[in-house]
Amino acid sequence: MDALCASHLSGTAWASRLYMTESDVRALERMGMIVGGHSRTHELLSRLSPLEQEAEITGSLQALSGVIGRCVEWFAYPYGGWHSFGPLTETILARHGVRFAFNVEDRDIAPWDLRRRPLALPRYDCNLFPHGRAVDGDALSVARSI
């Protein structure tokens, strides 16, 4: 994998083809889309110490807030699922002004979810949707398209 990355992904120009730029995020915001945090490095938050969770969450929220120019009130847990976060994670999010966070749980949001646990709202796993998988095909075909 290191050799593949070195030969096909040198420099940083490729990143703008795979990831949103700051200007892309601002455009979504201007079009009325809700933009939320997701962590700095996509770590499984439940496996991190309290200080590491704090750094992942605040780093993400601060960076995104700097791009969109306002407080970030939405968050989606990296990987999702009940294994990916815990009460401490929710406490950190609430302390930083996050009002709603999304957990992978394949069902619609019910009214009681909003009242009882707004920092663990269900969302469907995008991998279950047609064309929703994060990577379709093998790493070599992805690298060739760059």
Side-chain angles (χ1 to χ4, degrees):
M1 193 61 149
D2 289 341
L4 180 65
C5 287
S7 64
H8 295 285
L9 303 177
S10 60
T12 58
W14 62 271
S16 66
R17 293 179 61 195
L18 295 176
Y19 300 102
M20 296 181 74
T21 64
E22 289 183 6
S23 119
D24 293 334
V25 174
R26 282 191 291 272
L28 281 178
E29 182 82 351
R30 278 193 310 273
M31 291 186 283
M33 299 294 290
I34 294 172
V35 178
H38 192 58
S39 81
R40 280 181 44 247
T41 63
H42 209 268
E43 294 288 331
L44 189 61
L45 296 172
S46 61
R47 290 194 179 165
L48 301 179
S49 73
L51 287 174
E52 291 169 322
Q53 283 193 51
E54 180 83 29
E56 282 292 322
I57 291 168
T58 59
S60 169
L61 298 176
Q62 288 171 353
L64 191 52
S65 178
V67 171
I68 64 174
R70 64 169 183 76
C71 182
V72 176
E73 298 178 308
W74 302 77
F75 192 86
Y77 298 106
Y79 305 102
W82 292 106
H83 70 285
S84 66
F85 68 101
L88 171 66
T89 317
E90 293 176 85
T91 298
I92 294 168
L93 289 169
R95 193 171 57 240
H96 290 284
V98 173
R99 296 176 53 215
F100 303 102
F102 294 92
N103 171 37
V104 174
E105 184 183 356
D106 296 328
R107 66 179 181 85
D108 292 345
I109 296 172
W112 59 84
D113 291 314
L114 294 166
R115 288 189 302 273
R116 291 184 192 153
R117 204 159 176 198
L119 294 174
L121 297 173
R123 74 166 175 87
Y124 289 92
D125 185 342
C126 65
N127 289 306
L128 301 177
F129 299 145
H131 312 291
R133 295 196 57 82
V135 175
D136 251 347
D138 63 10
L140 186 56
S141 65
V142 171
R144 282 191 192 123
S145 70
I146 295 174

